[in-house]
């Protein structure tokens, strides 16, 4: 297997949940050329960062012909797909149109993985590992992991410049309002944390206060505006719409608090000490399996029922660990 193509769309969390399988694939074929066909702003997490040598955009216009039955396939793409010894596709393809079009290009070694996670089918990372295990490759470690580049870490160092350690990184949003802890709770807790010392050093002196990094994306604009009005301290920094590869490096070594979201998976994969708040979704399926992750479940699956005190206690333990 000299040339391997992995086709992986989906959101940030879906992609990162696939990393344990991709790591096993890379470990099994350390010298293979591996390329990812996916959303470039997400797949940048793996481009020349251990997993893959290249990334190609799945939003390339001529690819649409591969999703139409009996269509005329562009020679350029037919030759492109035919150049790989193995293709692993996670695309949702219930009528197998995309699969059949790939086979028309002469693809013989084609494995189609689960495009959707089945509740009750085990942890999502385990389900996504099945195509790799069909190759005879064991996927034992389900820890998610990203490998920031030198440039990623240089960006993070500049972004976090002048902020006192440790860093509290919080993401009050997610892809669904039903998965969000009420914003007023975030403001109450982390306004209070401005007065919360981080234990004492060996001489019995207070080590100071944590710095706060507030993470937001395009879907979090309203929350960001409100939190910016609330937090105007110089030790609060807003990470708005950062490239994911840069954000991963910013989160590396931080204490992260978030929901069931792609950013939480990124934080866990970057090695952050995570406190994740879960409501309607099942953490046994969706929470990162990393040892650096602590999950707090909401009563009756409703995050509005999750009180501030247990979250504050979890953050305090993380700060003083």
């Amino acid at each position: 297997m000299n040339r391997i193509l992995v086709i992986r769309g989906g959101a940030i969390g879906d992609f990162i949940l696939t990393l344990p399988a991709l790591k096993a694939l890379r470990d099994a074929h350390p010298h293979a050329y591996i390329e990812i066909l996916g959303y470039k702003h997400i797949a940048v997490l793996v481009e020349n960062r251990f997993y893959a040598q290249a990334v190609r955009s799945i939003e390339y216009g001529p690819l649409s012909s591969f999703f139409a039955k009996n269509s005329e396939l562009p020679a350029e793409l037919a030759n492109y797909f035919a150049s790989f010894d193995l293709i692993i596709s996670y695309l949702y393809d219930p009528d197998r149109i995309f699969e059949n079009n790939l086979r028309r290009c002469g693809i013989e070694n084609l494995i189609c993985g689960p495009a959707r996670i089945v509740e009750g089918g085990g942890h999502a990372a385990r389900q996504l590992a099945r195509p790799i295990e069909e190759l005879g490759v064991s996927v034992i470690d389900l820890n998610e992991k990203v490998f920031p580049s030198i440039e990623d870490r240089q960006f993070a160092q500049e972004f976090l410049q002048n902020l006192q350690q440790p860093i509290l990184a919080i993401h009050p949003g997610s892809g669904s309002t039903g998965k969000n802890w009420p914003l007023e709770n975030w403001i109450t807790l982390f306004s209070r944390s401005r007065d919360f010392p981080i234990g004492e050093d060996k001489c019995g002196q207070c080590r100071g206060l944590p710095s706060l990094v507030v993470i937001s994306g395009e879907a979090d604009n309203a929350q960001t505006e409100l939190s910016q009005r609330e937090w105007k301290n110089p030790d609060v920094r807003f990470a708005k719409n950062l490239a994911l590869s840069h954000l991963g490096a910013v989160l590396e070594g931080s204490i992260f608090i978030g929901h069931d979201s792609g950013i939480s998976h990124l934080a866990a994969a970057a090695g952050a000490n995570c406190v994740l708040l879960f409501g309607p979704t099942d953490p046994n399926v969706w929470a990162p399996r990393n040892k650096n992750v602590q999950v707090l479940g909401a009563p009756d699956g409703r995050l509005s029922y999750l009180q501030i005190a247990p979250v504050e206690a979890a953050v305090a333990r993380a700060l003083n660990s």
Side-chain angles (χ1 to χ4, degrees), residues 6-238:
V6 179
I7 306 173
R8 183 61 171 125
I12 299 169
D14 301 321
F15 187 88
I16 296 176
L17 279 162
T18 316
L19 293 185
L22 296 185
K23 187 175 187 303
L25 179 68
R26 169 53 78 196
D27 289 340
H29 300 280
H31 304 297
Y33 172 86
I34 299 179
E35 187 167 323
I36 307 294
L37 179 62
Y39 295 110
K40 291 200 74 170
H41 70 287
I42 298 175
V44 68
L45 288 169
V46 301
E47 185 176 22
N48 292 316
R49 294 168 175 84
F50 175 74
Y51 292 97
Q53 285 91 335
V55 166
R56 183 164 180 157
S57 176
I58 202 170
E59 297 175 290
Y60 180 54
L63 266 174
S64 60
S65 60
F66 279 79
F67 296 92
K69 193 173 183 179
N70 299 322
S71 63
E72 182 177 349
L73 305 178
E76 169 219 350
L77 287 174
N79 293 332
Y80 166 74
F81 288 122
S83 71
F84 290 96
D85 303 309
L86 169 68
I87 295 179
I88 301 169
S89 174
Y90 286 95
L91 290 185
Y92 181 64
D93 188 27
D95 298 321
R96 303 178 67 179
I97 294 173
F98 184 79
E99 176 187 347
N100 290 331
N101 281 331
L102 283 182
R103 296 195 185 279
R104 288 171 59 196
C105 300
I107 307 302
E108 295 182 0
N109 293 322
L110 172 62
I111 298 177
C112 297
R116 295 183 175 179
I117 301 304
V118 178
E119 296 286 345
H123 192 272
R126 171 58 59 205
Q127 295 185 48
L128 292 166
R130 287 170 188 158
I132 308 302
E133 293 180 327
E134 286 185 36
L135 298 169
V137 176
S138 296
V139 182
I140 299 172
D141 184 5
L142 295 184
N143 283 282
E144 302 161 12
K145 188 170 179 60
V146 293
F147 298 87
S149 68
I150 293 175
E151 189 272 334
D152 296 331
R153 289 192 169 111
Q154 286 175 339
F155 173 90
Q157 185 176 9
E158 294 173 6
F159 181 85
L160 297 172
Q161 192 172 16
N162 300 325
L163 289 184
Q164 175 174 300
Q165 296 289 335
I167 302 293
L168 278 177
I170 68 172
H171 181 220
S174 74
S176 168
T177 55
K179 296 193 292 184
N180 292 351
W181 201 38
L183 184 60
E184 56 267 26
N185 290 355
W186 289 94
I187 292 174
T188 299
L189 175 58
F190 291 102
S191 294
R192 181 187 302 170
S193 76
R194 317 317 309 142
D195 302 319
F196 180 49
I198 320 160
E200 298 178 344
D201 61 20
K202 293 180 180 179
C203 299
Q205 298 297 313
C206 173
R207 291 202 300 259
L209 300 175
S211 299
L212 190 65
V213 172
V214 184
I215 300 160
S216 66
E218 294 179 356
D220 305 321
N221 287 337
Q223 294 164 319
T224 303
E225 289 177 7
L226 184 58
S227 56
Q228 280 183 309
R229 289 197 296 269
E230 179 68 27
W231 292 313
K232 296 180 180 180
N233 313 53
D235 58 345
V236 177
R237 196 149 297 172
F238 286 83

Side-chain angles (χ1 to χ4, degrees), residues 309-321:
V311 181
E312 182 177 35
V315 174
R317 286 193 298 271
L319 279 169
N320 290 288
S321 63

